[in-house]
Amino acid sequence: MYGEPSGYSYQWFPSSLVDQSTNQQTTTTVEETTLYSLFVTDGICTKSDTVLVTVYEFLCDDPYLYVPNAFTPNGDGENDILYVRGPAIQEMVFRIYDRLGELVFESFERPYGWDGTFRGKLMNPDVYDYYLKVTCIDQVETIIKGNFQLIR
């Protein structure tokens, strides 16, 4: 966290939760929602400001991590690519199999989804199985197996 303007005296509160409570710039590890205050003084006048840092619960699982149950790769610009959804994915293995168990798609990065083709050909409307192994930013690993429908 950083306070402005430069060249004055500073006091961060709660002082026990910041690394250097009297520095212009300090760091903190936020484990719960906390209201931080900074008092800046020239010895005569004091100004202050606050910032609320909100901590949200995150699970490396549903509903924060999922694969849609259907997509429509028909070229209309909507739902044409099947992506793994999840804001905190650090590493992933995403595999899609056809009914016969043949691997038709594999991705190791969230921005690369499946467009409904295999070996340059459009796949038929059908139910496909997937395997998803994810490591989230908190180093928690999750494996999800399921299926989805390709609709044309």
Side-chain angles (χ1 to χ4, degrees):
M1 296 185 291
Y2 185 80
E4 287 283 342
S6 298
Y8 294 91
S9 296
Y10 308 91
Q11 183 63 56
W12 292 93
F13 290 99
S15 57
S16 62
L17 298 181
V18 296
D19 292 336
Q20 291 115 5
S21 64
T22 59
N23 287 7
Q24 182 177 8
Q25 182 172 342
T26 189
T27 58
T28 184
T29 301
V30 181
E31 295 181 5
E32 63 184 10
T33 299
T34 305
L35 180 66
Y36 291 92
S37 300
L38 172 62
F39 292 84
V40 181
T41 184
D42 63 0
I44 299 170
C45 295
T46 301
K47 293 287 185 177
S48 66
D49 202 355
T50 60
V51 63
L52 179 65
V53 178
T54 304
V55 175
Y56 296 97
E57 179 184 9
F58 170 77
L59 300 173
C60 190
D61 207 346
D62 192 27
Y64 301 101
L65 175 66
Y66 69 96
V67 175
N69 60 7
F71 83 119
T72 58
N74 57 11
D76 67 355
E78 294 185 29
N79 298 315
D80 287 334
I81 299 177
L82 181 74
Y83 294 104
V84 174
R85 310 290 183 172
I89 296 170
Q90 187 172 10
E91 296 176 11
M92 73 172 219
V93 175
F94 181 46
R95 295 183 178 127
I96 297 174
Y97 300 90
D98 66 12
R99 252 181 214 257
L100 301 175
E102 183 173 10
L103 179 67
V104 297
F105 177 78
E106 183 174 49
S107 176
F108 299 97
E109 297 181 45
R110 193 170 56 91
Y112 300 105
W114 188 43
D115 64 0
T117 64
F118 179 56
R119 296 184 181 154
K121 296 183 180 177
L122 297 176
M123 297 298 287
N124 291 325
D126 206 343
V127 174
Y128 293 81
D129 294 321
Y130 69 85
Y131 166 89
L132 175 63
K133 179 179 176 183
V134 170
T135 303
C136 291
I137 57 173
D138 57 0
Q139 301 307 308
V140 171
E141 185 176 282
T142 300
I143 294 176
I144 301 172
K145 299 175 186 178
N147 57 56
F148 62 89
Q149 187 165 2
L150 185 155
I151 303 168
R152 294 230 184 250

